[in-house]
Amino acid sequence: MFCPRFKILPAAALLALALSQPAAQALTLRAADVHNSNEYPTVLALKRMGELLEQRSAGRIKLKVFNKGALGTEKETIDQLKIGALELTRVHISPMNAICPQTQVPTMPFLFRSVAQMRRALDGPAGEEILRACEPQGFIGLAFYDSGARSIYARKPIKTPADAKGLKIRVPQSDLWVAVAAALGANATPMPVGEVYTGLKTGLVDAAENNLPSFEGFKHFEAVKFYSRTEHSMAPELLLMSKKVYDGLPPADQQLIRAAAKESVAFQRLRWDEQEAKSLALVKAGGAQIVDVDKSAFQALMPPVYARFMNTPELQRLVKTLQETP
Ligand code: BDP
């Protein structure tokens, strides 16, 4: 039977439905990473996150990983996130130090007692607080990934702070890192990691500092052979999302993204432990020498760095909470 309202009602109902429940949109997220190897633990973790998102959204949400610095330096990708031109970036925490002071806390030298303790501390409430602190600046801090411990490498062993005197050392682009190098008596040259290999080869810098997988992966061990285990920092990696993009997504998608990022952390840590062992073997086979050092002599020079950078009650409280994590 003909019903004049038939044509009108479904349209109105559809419209009402569309307004109350926007149809789930297909979503492609891009994630940047500077590491060259497709097997680097952070790169693998991003791919893992993508698999989880794709499974849980029945293929609607996809994550494309652009490693090898294809989308720019870490600072450049951070700038792109800020304006919503890029969705995700996995960066070292150091280029965020100037943008979000709370990120300086886990960057501080000799803050954690061990990698295991660093993981427990960052998994706790202080870690969450630091991730959240990036939001007012336009970044959703999704997760910390592991970056192990960083040590100094040079053309000679650096066993004591006296060995570091006058050394031209590359550091990440952060005032805090410049201050750490200065406390050791070295001359810091901040630069993006992509320039370090050439810097070491040409003698623009005498030294750099990083974890073993980066010493190996960026081929720095081909340029300088002595890796001295100062382990002066366990500053983590950071997985950030553009707040501008995030705020435009339905809450259900926001939750999917947060959960997939958090779940990729345990996976990344397993890959990290494997990669450290592999990288150690590779650099040794490539002629690198691993030098044991008296870390306490280096640590003894750091109080002025704490006094200068951990200069508010809030930062001091975060230091204490992270350090006191069992
Ligand atoms: C590596 C980090 C990478 C940084 C690099 C650096 O994984 O994100 O770019 O250090 O020193 O350990 O800049």
Side-chain angles (χ1 to χ4, degrees):
M1 194 178 81
F2 177 75
C3 168
R5 293 170 69 207
F6 184 71
K7 278 188 174 168
I8 301 162
L9 276 179
L14 273 178
L15 184 64
L17 196 69
L19 289 176
S20 66
Q21 290 181 326
Q25 298 272 324
L27 179 64
T28 300
L29 304 168
R30 290 158 306 155
D33 192 298
V34 292
H35 284 287
N36 293 326
S37 163
N38 295 339
E39 307 293 312
Y40 198 86
T42 52
V43 177
L44 289 176
L46 291 172
K47 290 184 186 159
R48 174 79 188 141
M49 178 181 167
E51 284 162 16
L52 292 171
L53 281 174
E54 203 158 337
Q55 278 164 20
R56 290 173 187 174
S57 66
R60 186 173 55 80
I61 306 181
K62 297 200 165 37
L63 193 155
K64 288 192 179 162
V65 181
F66 295 84
N67 61 311
K68 305 178 199 281
L71 300 182
T73 65
E74 295 196 334
K75 263 178 167 258
E76 287 164 353
T77 62
I78 288 169
D79 291 346
Q80 291 173 48
L81 253 64
K82 176 101 185 166
I83 57 169
L86 175 65
E87 295 79 39
L88 294 157
T89 189
R90 192 294 308 161
V91 290
H92 192 243
I93 198 167
S94 48
M96 286 298 286
N97 289 168
I99 298 171
C100 169
Q102 289 87 337
T103 64
Q104 296 178 118
V105 181
T107 315
M108 292 307 287
F110 301 101
L111 181 82
F112 300 107
R113 290 189 297 284
S114 64
V115 166
Q117 192 248 341
M118 174 265 287
R119 290 176 177 176
R120 286 192 298 273
L122 291 177
D123 286 346
E128 203 48 44
E129 194 179 328
I130 295 165
L131 290 176
R132 297 261 170 197
C134 301
E135 284 185 24
Q137 310 307 326
F139 306 93
I140 305 292
L142 291 176
F144 293 113
Y145 286 150
D146 225 294
S147 199
R150 292 173 76 107
S151 290
I152 298 178
Y153 40 92
R155 283 185 188 80
K156 59 175 191 180
I158 307 294
K159 287 193 171 178
T160 66
D163 297 327
K165 273 255 167 316
L167 204 65
K168 281 186 290 175
I169 186 168
R170 177 272 170 172
V171 294
Q173 293 166 290
S174 147
D175 289 350
L176 172 51
W177 285 93
V178 172
V180 171
L184 296 173
N187 297 325
T189 304
M191 62 169 86
V193 74
E195 293 169 23
V196 180
Y197 178 81
T198 310
L200 288 167
K201 274 279 191 194
T202 59
L204 176 68
V205 288
D206 312 311
E209 48 79 57
N210 220 314
N211 50 47
L212 278 167
S214 294
F215 180 51
E216 181 252 313
F218 290 117
K219 306 284 176 231
H220 296 169
F221 73 102
E222 291 177 358
V224 295
K225 296 288 182 199
F226 292 94
Y227 187 92
S228 303
R229 283 205 188 264
T230 50
E231 299 192 336
H232 51 275
S233 174
M234 292 185 192
E237 315 283 5
L238 205 49
L239 175 56
L240 296 173
M241 178 160 187
S242 163
K243 186 166 187 300
K244 206 164 178 186
V245 175
Y246 181 91
D247 286 347
L249 296 177
D253 285 0
Q254 294 177 342
Q255 282 319 308
L256 277 177
I257 292 167
R258 280 194 185 271
K262 280 276 190 263
E263 282 181 51
S264 67
V265 171
F267 175 87
Q268 194 269 346
R269 287 175 177 172
L270 289 175
R271 301 286 84 79
W272 180 261
D273 294 341
E274 291 166 3
Q275 187 60 53
E276 271 196 326
K278 275 191 216 161
S279 294
L280 178 61
L282 279 166
V283 300
K284 279 185 175 170
Q289 291 193 37
I290 310 296
V291 182
D292 281 326
V293 309
D294 173 12
K295 283 193 247 174
S296 57
F298 292 91
Q299 186 168 7
L301 299 170
M302 297 303 147
V305 182
Y306 274 76
R308 180 171 155 207
F309 288 88
M310 297 296 98
N311 55 3
T312 66
E314 189 198 358
L315 295 175
Q316 288 155 6
R317 174 182 54 77
L318 285 168
V319 166
K320 198 163 176 282
T321 314
L322 290 179
Q323 278 183 329
E324 287 178 357
T325 306

